[in-house]
Structures are given as C-alpha cells and as structure tokens.
Amino acid sequence: MTAADWIILAGAGTYLAWTVTPNWYRAGGGKAFGIPLPSYTFNAWRGTTMFAALAAILAIAWLGLRLGGVRIGGAVEPKVIDLILGAAGLLLTILGLVLRPTTGLGEASASWALPVAIVFALLWAFGALWTYRERRSSRSSSAVDGSGFTSRARP
C-alpha cells in the first residue's frame, strides 16, 4: 500500500465512522402556542450525505479489491475509480450544506458535525487525487539522450 492508499483508507474510513455522529443536521425547536419545542439532531444518513456515506463504503471496498489485484475490463483505469469516488464523496458532502434534508419538523439546518465531515472528505479526495497522479507520473517517461524518443513504449 502506498501512502496515498493509506490516506484514502484513513479519509474514507474516518468519514464512514463519522456518519453516525448525530449532529450533522438540526431540526425543530422554537415555540408552539407558547410551549418550547425540543430540537432534534440527525446523522449523515439523510439527504445527499447519505450518498456520500455510500461512496465511502464503496471506496473502502474498491481499495481492498484494487490492492488485491482485481481489475475491471474496459478502458477505465483502476485508480480513476478512486478519484471518482473521492470527488463524489466531497461534492455530495458539500452539497449537504445547501440541499439539507427535510424532516417532519421542517427543513433541517447544518450543525457542527457537517463541516468536520467536509475535512474528512477533503482528506479522502486528496488521497484519491494523489493516487491518480502517481499513476500518471509512473506512466510518463523521459527522453533518451535528448533524442526526443522515449525510453519505453506507452501501453
């Protein structure tokens, strides 16, 4: 496992563990007929962040499969899938700030755990980008003695 793979595992794994924290969204509160109403908090398994949590599960599973030697057919590079899952997790988490879930108590507002989750999603996406860039740099080759020809053929 490379350092980038460890970052993907740490970012996606921490993100997944963080999804059960109950303070991603807050709904309710206020008063009705002069009676104070309680507020409720919700975890990540609502709205767009639910799909980011599912992407984290897929990212961890895919990392294990990729490191185990599983390859998919077609023109898609295996590390591109890491990049797609990391970017999707980050985008869906950021969208969670804008597209907040609606509950029986009205629209929920973002709470303190959602910005922390964005940091975990950034870490996960950074690891995926680093993995992707490692793949690209390993495929590039240098010119042989300034001739303009490369030392190895491209696949």
Side-chain angles (χ1 to χ4, degrees), residues 2-59:
T2 66
D5 291 335
W6 280 108
I7 292 173
I8 291 172
L9 183 61
T14 307
Y15 185 93
L16 184 60
W18 192 251
T19 61
V20 296
T21 303
N23 291 309
W24 285 55
Y25 299 102
R26 180 175 302 280
K31 290 187 175 187
F33 306 110
I35 301 170
L37 299 173
S39 64
Y40 296 94
T41 58
F42 302 99
N43 61 19
W45 293 92
R46 295 178 181 266
T48 61
T49 54
M50 175 182 66
F51 297 108
L54 292 172
I57 293 171
L58 289 174

Side-chain angles (χ1 to χ4, degrees), residues 96-150:
L97 289 170
V98 179
L99 303 174
R100 297 179 304 267
T102 303
T103 65
L105 302 171
E107 187 175 27
S109 60
S111 190
W112 64 270
L114 185 55
V116 174
I118 291 173
V119 173
F120 295 145
L122 278 169
L123 179 67
W124 168 21
F126 171 74
L129 180 62
W130 188 3
T131 300
Y132 179 73
R133 292 183 64 126
E134 281 179 344
R135 177 193 66 83
R136 295 210 43 190
S137 66
S138 69
R139 286 182 52 189
S140 64
S141 57
S142 59
V144 177
D145 298 327
S147 65
F149 293 101
T150 57

